[in-house]
Amino acid sequence: MKKTKRLIPLFFLPLISSASPPIQVVELTPKLAEQLGFQVKIEEEELSTLITFSGPESLSSGCVAARSGSFVLSEGDKTPYGHISELPKMSEPPQLLSFISNSSKNTLYVFIDYFCPKDRALDSRRYAVPSVRDWDS
């Protein structure tokens, strides 16, 4: 029984050692987005603002688009709504469509995550438009 109790903590060791740091965020500006190959199209409609956000198939020598998402942020960066999608492996550039009501005081944050191969996992990045409302400001 004593041997079993001593071995239990060792069971969790592989889980702890395989954890990775959070993905680094690159907040895009219109100029940086253009340089990196991202396209941001914002359309004001009668009741809402629509964003079409697309990026290159891969970045940084083999880092591929793996996830996309959007968050609605209220004052104080509280998140009343968020959505994250896994992107299927395709031979097309990743694309995200999202919208926010024009009457809302919240802002919309959209992103595409690029994951690198395991030996370069620390090079993985999240490329984000931090505020659709302030994009051209």
Side-chain angles (χ1 to χ4, degrees), residues 25-130:
V25 177
V26 176
E27 291 190 349
L28 297 171
T29 62
K31 185 177 180 179
L32 182 57
E34 185 178 334
Q35 289 172 349
L36 295 174
F38 288 91
Q39 295 178 357
V40 179
K41 182 179 177 185
I42 298 173
E43 298 175 80
E44 295 251 354
E45 298 177 345
E46 186 177 334
L47 300 174
S48 63
T49 298
L50 174 70
I51 182 170
T52 305
F53 179 43
S54 59
E57 288 177 48
S58 65
L59 285 171
S60 303
S61 308
C63 302
V64 296
R67 241 183 349 216
S68 68
S70 61
F71 297 112
V72 174
L73 301 175
S74 62
E75 289 181 27
D77 287 339
K78 293 181 182 169
T79 308
Y81 172 79
H83 180 273
I84 298 174
S85 296
E86 298 293 323
L87 296 174
K89 293 185 188 238
M90 300 173 55
S91 60
E92 298 177 14
Q95 184 172 7
L96 167 72
L97 299 168
S98 195
F99 69 93
I100 190 164
S101 170
N102 289 339
S103 63
S104 172
K105 293 182 181 181
N106 298 330
T107 188
L108 184 63
Y109 173 101
V110 296
F111 67 90
I112 299 174
D113 289 345
Y114 285 81
F115 293 158
C116 299
K118 286 187 180 195
D119 60 330
R120 296 182 36 238
L122 294 177
D123 293 336
S124 299
R125 298 284 185 270
R126 169 171 287 174
Y127 293 90
V129 174

